[in-house]
Amino acid sequence: QVRLVESGGGLVQAGDSLRLSCVDGGRTFSYYTMGWFRQAPGKERELVAYISWLGGSTYYDDSVKGRSTISRDNAKNTLYLQIMRLKPEDTAVYYCAATLKTGFQSSGTEADHWGQGTHVTVSS
């Protein structure tokens, strides 16, 4: 069973970097394609990035492409998202998600499991 717990959020300044983590307390982490989504206040949830089960394939939304890195450590059942040069528009609740499919669409309907989210606030 997959149990996802995110951490690493907080209040940061614009221009700073942040690394989010998502730990799976279950035993099947390496079977799943893993993704990060975010939802800003008053907005729809959006896909940020995802990574294939072995880490060989990644996808980034244009909003974070070039300044973020998604990675995973299957030995530690942990997913990471590092975002650099943070902007106020990166402010959102960030969720990790797991799917047995090969990727995610922006809606996230493919997700089989979700974490509870971690808040990121970027001040200008």
Side-chain angles (χ1 to χ4, degrees):
Q1 185 175 355
V2 175
R3 299 186 300 272
L4 304 175
V5 179
E6 302 95 334
S7 63
L11 174 63
V12 296
Q13 298 284 329
D16 285 351
S17 297
L18 197 66
R19 189 175 81 158
L20 306 179
S21 299
C22 171
V23 177
D24 174 17
R27 301 181 183 180
T28 57
F29 178 80
S30 62
Y31 298 169
Y32 287 83
T33 295
M34 298 296 299
W36 286 98
F37 289 77
R38 67 186 180 186
Q39 187 166 19
K43 295 189 176 181
E44 297 288 319
R45 181 178 61 202
E46 63 178 5
L47 174 63
V48 177
Y50 66 79
I51 186 168
S52 60
W53 63 288
L54 282 179
S57 177
T58 57
Y59 163 87
Y60 297 94
D61 183 74
D62 286 344
S63 62
V64 298
K65 191 177 295 182
R67 61 186 183 95
S68 66
T69 302
I70 187 170
S71 60
R72 66 190 297 163
D73 185 338
N74 287 346
K76 295 182 178 179
N77 285 3
T78 303
L79 174 73
Y80 303 99
L81 179 68
Q82 180 164 15
I83 308 178
M84 298 174 287
R85 303 188 297 279
L86 282 157
K87 308 173 183 179
E89 51 264 44
D90 293 317
T91 295
V93 179
Y94 285 72
Y95 300 90
C96 65
T99 182
L100 290 173
K101 296 181 173 60
T102 57
F104 291 95
Q105 299 295 320
S106 59
S107 63
T109 54
E110 301 83 0
D112 298 303
H113 304 280
W114 291 93
Q116 84 290 347
T118 185
H119 291 255
V120 174
T121 302
V122 184
S123 64
S124 58

